[in-house]
Amino acid sequence: MNQDLSIFQLVLHASFVVQIVMLLLLVVSIGSWAAIFRKLGAIKRMKSLNETFERDFWSGTSLNDLYASAAQNARTAGPMERIFASGMREYQKLRERRIQDPATLLDGARRAMRASFQREMDVAESNLSFLASVGSVSPYVGLFGTVWGIMHAFTGLASLQQVTLATVAPGIAEALVATALGLFAAIPAVVAYNRFAREIDRLANRQETFIEEFSNILQRNLGVHHHQPQSGTPTGY
């Protein structure tokens, strides 16, 4: 491309509406990339904290010790540790009220963990709707800018008696830059959304599995208090 058809010149000489569309898409693209990098860091941190807690949980440490550690590190704990702490907190509260029915104790702990699980998933899924919106809307916004730019270009050519490719090309090229920017904003957002959705599904499945495993441990402890736990199984008694 020569200097007259460089990207900078095309944007500079585009119509006002097309320039506004381009600016909007550029801002959206920057916001999308910022959300992508934040989500990458957040998911990596959640996975690391979950793995660390699972190692501690299955190392044979008592449930009371794990709960004390989770309560002490509440602000820096991972999702799985907070889910565990919610279940233990409700379980201990019910026992303090001298509730002895195993079904009631187990149901209370499970409901507390499910509520905590939903809160953790809401946090994990934050910004995903923004990426989905960017991925679905940006191409149409860019297409709007292109259509408007082409209309503006042909309106300007209406007064000319002789139209050549040299007179048509700049206006068309200016308009097409809007579509390119729309795709530039949409493609990374769609790719990132699909990847994050898969990663969050894996996190959710792992945390739901932990809830079931922890519930089974509580059920065994409620059913048989006097038995020694098997090696590698945490206990609070």
Side-chain angles (χ1 to χ4, degrees):
M1 296 178 68
N2 57 37
Q3 186 177 2
D4 293 335
L5 292 180
S6 66
I7 297 296
F8 178 76
Q9 290 295 326
L10 291 174
V11 173
L12 190 63
H13 293 95
S15 66
F16 178 73
V17 173
V18 177
Q19 287 180 338
I20 293 297
V21 169
M22 291 178 181
L23 179 61
L24 175 62
L25 289 172
L26 183 60
V27 171
V28 167
S29 179
I30 293 173
S32 174
W33 278 106
I36 288 171
F37 285 119
R38 284 198 305 268
K39 185 59 67 178
L40 276 172
I43 290 179
K44 182 178 180 181
R45 180 175 179 272
M46 285 188 288
K47 290 171 67 175
S48 176
L49 290 172
N50 281 352
E51 290 172 0
T52 300
F53 175 72
E54 276 195 299
R55 284 196 300 268
D56 294 339
F57 184 82
W58 295 111
S59 66
T61 306
S62 71
L63 296 179
N64 287 332
D65 290 343
L66 287 170
Y67 176 60
S69 177
Q72 184 178 1
N73 304 318
R75 293 186 177 182
T76 58
M80 193 175 291
E81 190 170 4
R82 284 193 288 266
I83 291 171
F84 162 79
S86 297
M88 278 296 294
R89 186 182 305 112
E90 183 65 19
Y91 177 79
Q92 291 189 352
K93 284 182 179 178
L94 292 175
R95 286 184 65 87
E96 288 172 359
R97 295 176 184 174
R98 300 186 182 279
I99 296 176
Q100 301 297 328
D101 179 41
T104 302
L105 292 170
L106 185 60
D107 183 61
R110 286 178 62 88
R111 283 188 288 105
M113 286 191 288
R114 296 300 303 184
S116 179
F117 168 78
Q118 291 299 327
R119 289 193 296 269
E120 296 298 334
M121 294 311 302
D122 288 342
V123 173
E125 292 172 355
S126 62
N127 291 329
L128 282 189
S129 59
F130 172 71
L131 292 177
S133 298
V134 171
S136 60
V137 174
S138 292
Y140 295 103
V141 175
L143 183 60
F144 167 76
T146 296
V147 172
W148 187 277
I150 292 175
M151 290 172 55
H152 183 266
F154 279 112
T155 301
L157 295 174
S159 60
L160 299 179
Q161 294 181 349
Q162 184 177 4
V163 178
T164 64
L165 182 61
T167 57
V168 174
I172 302 298
E174 292 167 7
L176 290 175
V177 172
T179 295
L181 283 175
L183 294 174
F184 178 77
I187 292 173
V190 171
V191 172
Y193 174 85
N194 291 333
R195 176 180 174 179
F196 293 150
R198 289 193 300 271
E199 293 290 340
I200 290 172
D201 282 343
R202 292 192 187 101
L203 284 172
N205 291 336
R206 196 165 182 176
Q207 288 167 182
E208 287 184 318
T209 300
F210 171 77
I211 291 174
E212 294 303 319
E213 291 172 337
F214 181 43
S215 298
N216 290 337
I217 291 171
L218 288 179
Q219 188 173 22
R220 287 197 298 269
N221 286 336
L222 286 169
V224 187
H225 293 289
H226 61 277
H227 284 178
Q228 290 291 335
Q230 297 179 359
S231 177
T233 302
T235 177
Y237 309 102

